Amino acid sequence: MAYVSIADRDHEVEHHDPDTFISKYVWSQDHKVIAIQYGVLAILIGLVGMLLSSAFRLQLGFPDMFEFINPENYYQFVTIHGMIMVIYLLTALFLGGFGNYLIPLQLGSRDMVFPFMNMLSVWVYALSVLILVASFFVPGGATGAGWTLYPPHAISPGTPGTDWGIVLMLLSLAVFIVAFTMGGLNYVTTVLQARCKGMTLMRMPLSVWGIFMATILGLLAFPALLVSAIMMLFDKLLGTSFFMPAMIQAGVATDTVGGSPVLFQHLFWFFGHPEVYIVALPAFGLVSDLLSTHARKNIFGYRMMVWAIIAIGGLSFIVWAHHMYVSGMNPYFGFFFATTTLIIAVPTALKVYNWVLTLWQGNIHLRVPMLFAIAFIFTFTHGGLTGLFLGNVTIDLPLSDTYFVVAHFHMVMGVSPVLVVFGAIYHWYPKMTGRMYNETLGKWHFWLTFLGTYSLYLPMHYLGFLGVPRRYFAMGNTEFMPDSAVTLNASMTISALIIAATQLIFIYNMIWSLKHGEKSGGNPWKSTSLEWQTPDTPPKHGNWGHSLPEVHRWAYDYSVPGQAEDFTPQTVPESEVPVGRDHGVDS
Amino acid sequence: MYITLIFLGIIMATVIVWLLRQTFNTQPWISEAADNEVSGASMDTNTKAVALTVFLAVATSVFALFISAYTIRMEEPDWRPITEPTLLWANTLMLILASIAYHWTRGAAVKGIDSRVKPGLTVAGVLTVLFLIGQLVAWQQLNAAGYYLDLNPANAFFFLLTAVHGLHMLGGLWVWARSTMKVWTGADSDSVRLSIELCTVYWHFLLLVWIVLFGMLLST
């Protein structure tokens, strides 16, 4: 059996070349296989999350028309939908999926530094998904406490799933965090220690920067979720009262006294807000690479983009209480958190300007990945602007319990990252499979998804302004809700169903193209970064053949004046760059 | 949450300052940068040592959050302080001695004195196991004295914090067991040197955490 060292200069860590079906595709230690395992699993569970949302949207659009939706499972669907989308889909897909695929390839290493732990990570993640799904089938069903799982109602009788559902939910989260930590240690250490020769930190593509910083955030923030999950499990199973206050249930006082539900909220949001950036920073990074490649222009303000990622990472730890304005707090705290929230908009806005300026006078190719990337700029700007509203205490208070908040975070944290996910999958599909996707199907997928999400979420903002409350199973007859609001809700449901159905086009395209797609070649986008320069496509085990690549430049040498091609790969030394023409693009 | 903020502030500040120092004053668009001198690794140390450092940051985050939760919860009126068993002092001594033993073993492993590695490792492990047994006995003493887990949040926190610390210790013992097995089956100190070096850091870290936790439990 052949031994392959992880990196040529690093002989400490070695692993076996896979030679059986099991070691190649199931218990694989190859980062590319693990990435695809993570990705497929995340997308599968994401589809479950999408079906759940379709189900509860049916109730919201057409109240009481569908008998299979009752108040109990409505809340269960809403809760598990949120949990799946935020954690089991987006976090897993960006870090476990793209992180695993891109970090070693874009940095010129053979694999992650701890391949065995990497393999454990994906299977422990699979276990967490299994526990989550199992919670639907235990007595009492899954938890219906809302994805934030606030106590006391999360573990008090009356809420769906307080028997076993909440226990499995918390257990699943704890297991997920273990999986993430094993993956995260790998990502950070690989970025720090296993880059190829010449790959300085400031020559790393922004994708890696985004994933790197998001992983650091995750490693420091997920413990808050772990701590709150453990303490809530104690409250539920062992009768402690960390979070459970004195209560009277059905006229009888409970055993619990003095617990602090607000303590849980602090812990939860201490994780919850960085979590937004755990999802957003990889999206920022990936979209930067997509825009630059398909506009044939270097990313505008690379250094500023890197520092913005670092600044957002740091600031994201001191804004959490803006999720808790309605819980009540010292006005000075409110002022502090409103200020930090508005400050974090500065580096974020810088990034938006830089994306737009990257497009400025670029040679824009409107291929499917680029369509998704540009759409992201729109949806993210819209979601970000409504965030400025909600960051202010006085505006947040009346809007907090309305559809406005739902619309805001779906635009900024749902639609925007998902658009990047699609763009990135289309972009790297040729590298992962060696085949092109179907461009026409891709464009149908894009336009239906993009316009569909707008027709779903724009009216939702309006309903929020009207005061339509979120979390309600049925609105009943309320005076402030005009008939038009009811009609809008129905139209939003139809949009949601269309978007859901549209995703079948995407899945069909991905599967069909595996066999029938055109052969893509190694570098169909004429891209500069290292993953496109591998000797084989899809890259084989060990990625680089006999010797590791050497890097001579950053990843954004597109349309450099005076060079014959409009791109210069990172592996090309200055002396070997063919000279030629001006590309008519301002670099 | 101040305590968590201070801890995380220090960690994040370290990360940010380090990253800024790496990235400041660079001109990434210039391709002539001396690629022969630019190695891909950021730190001139072993990869596992980097991973351990990152893991210690994660563990610090966990403990800082528990401490924050403790300080917030103890403000509520139902908090009844616990009288800690005196046995904890003996346990603390065990852990200090275990840490010293590991440090001594590390010195031997670095210098390649094989004869000292085997007894050093064994003593460090035995002392750590004694610490854990001592913690379990302390639990029993508390139970016998009527300080049940669900009676008061102070009790609950005592059991929770000692359990979390103990679990971290058990994780360390797993690595200890592997290197000890190797040494007892005749491997030389060089093959376990790295493991011993990293374990020493981990033992010192858990000793420090225990002293902080113990101090907090005693003073409140």
Side-chain angles (χ1 to χ4, degrees):
Chain A
M1 187 175 282
Y3 284 90
V4 181
S5 74
I6 296 300
D8 287 356
R9 59 177 170 67
D10 185 353
H11 296 285
E12 298 150 6
V13 190
E14 294 187 336
H15 70 128
H16 299 284
D17 224 350
D19 52 3
T20 63
F21 180 83
I22 299 269
S23 66
K24 207 167 177 181
Y25 298 110
V26 185
W27 308 118
S28 173
Q29 299 186 27
D30 186 316
H31 72 101
K32 300 180 290 297
V33 180
I34 292 171
I36 290 167
Q37 288 171 332
Y38 249 117
V40 169
L41 199 53
I43 289 173
L44 284 179
I45 194 69
L47 287 174
V48 174
M50 190 182 75
L51 285 178
L52 295 175
S53 70
S54 304
F56 68 70
R57 272 303 330 170
L58 281 177
Q59 163 63 23
L60 290 171
F62 309 99
D64 300 329
M65 197 183 282
F66 299 91
E67 280 185 7
F68 73 96
I69 309 168
N70 55 39
E72 257 111 56
N73 58 27
Y74 170 85
Y75 284 115
Q76 291 169 328
F77 292 171
V78 172
T79 303
I80 303 297
H81 161 77
M83 207 51 113
I84 285 178
M85 293 308 194
V86 171
I87 293 181
Y88 299 86
L89 170 69
L90 287 172
T91 308
L93 189 53
F94 274 124
L95 300 180
F98 288 109
N100 257 314
Y101 198 81
L102 292 179
I103 290 174
L105 277 173
Q106 290 198 326
L107 297 184
S109 46
R110 296 209 180 276
D111 207 315
M112 289 288 179
V113 286
F114 307 116
F116 180 75
M117 196 160 73
N118 209 18
M119 178 189 76
L120 277 186
S121 167
V122 71
W123 288 105
V124 175
Y125 163 63
L127 178 67
S128 75
V129 171
L130 203 64
I131 298 173
L132 177 79
V133 174
S135 75
F136 270 104
F137 303 100
V138 291
T143 178
W147 88 276
T148 52
L149 305 178
Y150 277 7
H153 76 260
I155 47 176
S156 306
T159 308
T162 43
D163 296 330
W164 284 102
I166 184 71
V167 174
L168 289 186
M169 180 75 254
L170 295 169
L171 199 62
S172 167
L173 285 174
V175 172
F176 179 89
I177 293 165
V178 171
F180 171 78
T181 307
M182 290 195 282
L185 285 176
N186 249 317
Y187 313 150
V188 170
T189 316
T190 305
V191 170
L192 289 178
Q193 293 300 93
R195 306 189 306 275
C196 68
K197 193 168 154 190
M199 181 63 85
T200 60
L201 285 178
M202 284 306 254
R203 279 179 178 170
M204 296 198 305
L206 286 168
S207 294
V208 176
W209 267 110
I211 291 166
F212 175 57
M213 201 64 201
T215 308
I216 293 177
L217 294 190
L219 287 171
L220 296 177
F222 267 113
L225 186 63
L226 181 71
V227 165
S228 48
I230 291 174
M231 286 165 71
M232 202 184 327
L233 275 175
F234 267 58
D235 277 4
K236 167 71 191 160
L237 299 176
L238 302 175
T240 56
S241 35
F242 290 121
F243 304 132
M244 295 298 282
M247 290 197 302
I248 293 179
Q249 269 172 355
V252 184
T254 60
D255 291 342
T256 55
V257 281
S260 168
V262 176
L263 169 59
F264 177 88
Q265 295 183 19
H266 277 299
L267 289 172
F268 182 86
W269 289 114
F270 196 80
F271 145 77
H273 198 84
E275 168 64 24
V276 175
Y277 292 98
I278 291 167
V279 170
L281 289 181
F284 291 171
L286 295 168
V287 88
S288 304
D289 285 352
L290 262 55
L291 288 168
S292 173
T293 306
H294 295 281
R296 317 306 295 161
K297 232 185 106 188
N298 65 304
I299 192 79
F300 190 91
Y302 173 86
R303 283 187 303 185
M304 205 195 292
M305 295 298 250
V306 170
W307 293 331
I309 286 175
I310 298 171
I312 292 170
L315 285 169
S316 72
F317 277 106
I318 47 169
V319 296
W320 81 89
H322 69 212
H323 297 272
M324 297 165 55
Y325 291 150
V326 286
S327 304
M329 65 176 72
N330 184 322
Y332 289 112
F333 286 171
F335 174 75
F336 171 79
F337 284 108
T339 310
T340 51
T341 304
L342 298 184
I343 289 174
I344 208 170
V346 175
T348 316
L350 279 177
K351 296 190 79 71
V352 175
Y353 295 137
N354 284 357
W355 290 321
V356 175
L357 287 167
T358 302
L359 295 177
W360 178 254
Q361 296 197 342
N363 179 10
I364 296 174
H365 293 60
L366 287 177
R367 302 154 181 146
V368 179
M370 186 60 153
L371 289 173
F372 277 102
I374 294 174
F376 161 83
I377 301 180
F378 282 93
T379 57
F380 185 73
T381 307
H382 286 165
L385 285 175
T386 50
L388 292 180
F389 287 43
L390 294 170
N392 289 286
V393 187
T394 44
I395 308 175
D396 180 74
L397 290 180
L399 286 175
S400 184
D401 280 327
T402 71
Y403 272 11
F404 192 83
V405 171
V406 184
H408 157 71
F409 73 70
H410 275 88
M411 283 304 269
V412 81
M413 201 190 169
V415 177
S416 303
V418 167
L419 289 177
V420 176
V421 163
F422 286 135
I425 290 177
Y426 283 113
H427 182 79
W428 277 286
Y429 186 82
K431 182 50 62 177
M432 293 183 200
T433 63
R435 304 226 175 222
M436 295 301 288
Y437 54 84
N438 182 303
E439 186 81 11
T440 314
L441 287 179
K443 283 187 172 156
W444 273 102
H445 174 223
F446 166 74
W447 283 109
L448 286 170
T449 305
F450 179 56
L451 296 178
T453 48
Y454 261 107
S455 63
L456 170 57
Y457 293 112
L458 265 190
M460 202 181 274
H461 288 88
Y462 167 68
L463 290 188
F465 270 133
L466 281 183
V468 178
R470 59 182 168 135
R471 307 194 184 99
Y472 281 32
F473 170 69
M475 298 301 164
N477 295 319
T478 31
E479 281 184 13
F480 65 86
M481 261 181 76
D483 289 345
S484 62
V486 178
T487 318
L488 264 184
N489 237 337
S491 90
M492 283 153 57
T493 294
I494 293 168
S495 301
L497 296 176
I498 292 174
I499 301 167
T502 301
Q503 305 320 310
L504 295 177
I505 303 178
F506 165 71
I507 291 175
Y508 174 76
N509 194 357
M510 292 297 103
I511 295 173
W512 183 86
S513 305
L514 269 183
K515 222 172 177 185
H516 305 285
E518 267 179 54
K519 288 248 162 76
S520 63
N523 191 0
W525 310 127
K526 297 186 173 176
S527 194
T528 57
S529 47
L530 282 185
E531 78 274 26
W532 300 101
Q533 324 304 332
T534 53
D536 306 288
T537 298
K540 292 191 172 146
H541 187 67
N543 294 345
W544 305 104
H546 291 299
S547 55
L548 290 175
E550 273 187 31
V551 164
H552 299 265
R553 58 189 66 246
W554 68 343
Y556 299 100
D557 266 348
Y558 289 107
S559 308
V560 178
Q563 295 185 356
E565 296 281 345
D566 73 345
F567 74 109
T568 311
Q570 285 187 279
T571 46
V572 177
E574 194 59 20
S575 56
E576 292 173 22
V577 178
V579 269
R581 61 200 167 99
D582 197 343
H583 303 281
V585 173
D586 287 350
S587 287
Chain B
M1 300 295 283
Y2 292 116
I3 289 158
T4 305
L5 278 179
I6 291 167
F7 273 107
L8 280 186
I10 294 168
I11 293 173
M12 280 310 285
T14 315
V15 171
I16 289 174
V17 168
W18 186 83
L19 284 176
L20 287 179
R21 278 182 57 189
Q22 298 287 311
T23 57
F24 196 69
N25 219 6
T26 54
Q27 292 179 310
W29 52 90
I30 305 283
S31 61
E32 294 89 27
D35 41 70
N36 277 329
E37 285 147 36
V38 183
S39 147
S42 296
M43 275 159 247
D44 188 18
T45 177
N46 186 281
T47 304
K48 286 180 180 164
V50 177
L52 177 69
T53 313
V54 179
F55 178 74
L56 292 187
V58 178
T60 307
S61 178
V62 171
F63 284 109
L65 284 154
F66 272 123
I67 292 170
S68 271
Y70 184 93
T71 53
I72 293 176
R73 185 65 181 83
M74 66 179 278
E75 298 296 323
E76 303 294 331
D78 64 324
W79 184 274
R80 300 279 172 275
I82 199 169
T83 313
E84 282 79 13
T86 14
L87 178 65
L88 291 184
W89 288 99
N91 293 350
T92 310
L93 183 67
M94 292 296 147
L95 200 56
I96 293 173
L97 291 175
S99 226
I100 293 171
Y102 238 124
H103 202 87
W104 183 75
T105 316
R106 177 184 167 275
V110 170
K111 287 180 200 141
I113 312 170
D114 282 10
S115 58
R116 268 166 53 183
V117 170
K118 203 193 276 186
L121 263 183
T122 314
V123 170
V126 169
L127 286 167
T128 311
V129 172
L130 283 178
F131 166 80
L132 285 175
I133 293 172
Q135 297 290 79
L136 287 176
V137 175
W139 279 11
Q140 281 185 335
Q141 289 179 349
L142 279 176
N143 258 329
Y147 289 106
Y148 301 121
L149 173 98
D150 56 353
L151 208 60
N152 193 271
N155 309 359
F157 262 113
F158 180 87
F159 285 102
L160 179 60
L161 292 174
T162 45
V164 172
H165 181 264
L167 282 175
H168 279 79
M169 216 64 256
L170 275 179
L173 278 178
W174 165 253
V175 184
W176 166 83
R178 284 176 44 164
S179 39
T180 309
M181 288 276 278
K182 266 192 189 172
V183 172
W184 277 89
T185 49
D188 61 357
S189 63
D190 221 32
S191 65
V192 289
R193 201 185 84 189
L194 181 65
S195 164
I196 291 174
E197 282 185 67
L198 297 183
C199 274
T200 308
V201 175
Y202 190 63
W203 252 253
H204 291 347
F205 169 78
L206 283 183
L207 172 65
L208 186 70
V209 168
W210 172 246
I211 288 172
V212 170
L213 291 179
F214 188 37
M216 182 181 76
L217 290 167
L218 278 181
S219 62
T220 51

